[in-house]
Amino acid sequence: MNILQIQSSARADLSHSSALAAALVEGVRASLPDPAQARVTLRDLGRAPHPEQNEAALQALFTPAGQRTAEQAARVALDDALIAELQAADVVVIGVPMYNFGVPAALKNWIDAIARAGVTFRYTASGPEGLLKGKKVYFALTRGGLYRDTAADTQVPYLQTVFAFLGMTDLQFVYAEGLAMGPEAEQQALAAARVQIEEVLAA
Ligand SMILES: Cc1cc2nc3c(=O)[nH]c(=O)nc-3n(C[C@H](O)[C@H](O)[C@H](O)COP(=O)(O)O)c2cc1C
């Protein structure tokens, strides 16, 4: 079993979303008949940010492979590596802080890299078809405030839409909210998230 662990917090050791994502990975691993068989790949977008899709990157992508300059080939290879990691994953675990009501730019750049026409989705006569099928995806969501199930939570509908578009519909969300609302609220939110992890792993 291949587990892809993605972190998108700008913070390293202090990140709650990364810690909860790591706990999800451990839970998935521990639930296997033989945990030693799990292969975990860590993609830390905070420590190693993926470049944005700017004009040069798009030009590189739309230049036929055999005609690319060395620089263009290297740029496309960066995206290819993320796509290959995702294609190889059976389970994907993503730590997602809320940054200004959206996902961190680091995660958006990853999504822009892995959503590639003809590779991870395609258009057919009956509409779009996601090509990343059969994967289970867990999200560890962390927020300073309280937004779950409100119109201000634009993260979850966005993630549901883009992952479903790519063929990934088996999604589970774990929330740690109110992390900026004082030490007690923070501790309660983190404890509640640990309970949710047990629940989603048992689902
Ligand atoms: C740049 C930035 C923007 C943020 N925007 C929001 C926000 O819009 N809503 C919210 O509830 N919390 C917001 N927060 C708080 C974070 O979501 C919270 O600190 C969370 O724990 C960060 O995840 P991490 O612990 O994995 O770093 C923001 C934090 C930062 C650093």
Side-chain angles (χ1 to χ4, degrees):
M1 143 129 16
N2 289 327
I3 305 173
L4 175 58
Q5 177 180 353
I6 298 172
Q7 300 174 175
S8 63
S9 173
R11 306 196 293 177
D13 297 341
L14 294 174
S15 167
H16 294 304
S17 60
S18 299
L20 293 171
L24 277 160
V25 168
E26 274 318 301
V28 171
R29 198 209 299 255
S31 71
L32 297 173
D34 181 3
Q37 290 300 308
R39 282 211 349 222
V40 180
T41 301
L42 174 64
R43 175 64 62 170
D44 187 341
L45 300 169
R47 263 24 56 220
H50 195 77
E52 65 177 338
Q53 292 293 35
N54 57 17
E55 184 163 19
L58 292 176
Q59 267 177 2
L61 187 59
F62 292 116
T63 300
Q67 296 171 27
R68 288 176 188 144
T69 64
E71 195 182 347
Q72 286 179 323
R75 179 63 187 84
V76 175
L78 292 177
D79 291 359
D80 287 346
L82 297 193
I83 291 171
E85 264 176 15
L86 184 56
Q87 286 172 327
D90 303 295
V91 174
V92 185
V93 179
I94 311 182
V96 190
M98 180 180 277
Y99 283 174
N100 299 309
F101 298 97
V103 302
L107 182 59
K108 181 61 167 58
N109 285 343
W110 179 86
I111 291 170
D112 289 344
I114 57 96
R116 187 183 294 170
V119 179
T120 55
F121 71 92
R122 68 179 169 208
Y123 277 95
T124 67
S126 54
E129 180 190 4
L131 300 176
L132 295 169
K133 292 179 182 151
K135 300 181 195 304
K136 192 162 187 91
V137 187
Y138 297 91
F139 297 92
L141 306 167
T142 52
R143 288 96 184 261
L146 304 172
Y147 300 105
R148 182 175 184 169
D149 298 330
T150 74
D153 183 354
T154 60
Q155 284 185 317
V156 169
Y158 166 67
L159 291 168
Q160 285 171 326
T161 300
V162 71
F163 277 72
F165 180 79
L166 298 171
M168 295 172 279
T169 52
D170 189 354
L171 313 179
Q172 295 281 355
F173 296 89
V174 168
Y175 299 75
E177 293 203 301
L179 295 172
M181 295 170 63
E184 201 178 318
E186 183 185 42
Q187 287 316 309
Q188 280 177 5
L190 295 173
R194 298 278 168 170
V195 173
Q196 291 170 59
I197 287 176
E198 297 304 319
E199 289 170 354
V200 298
L201 290 173

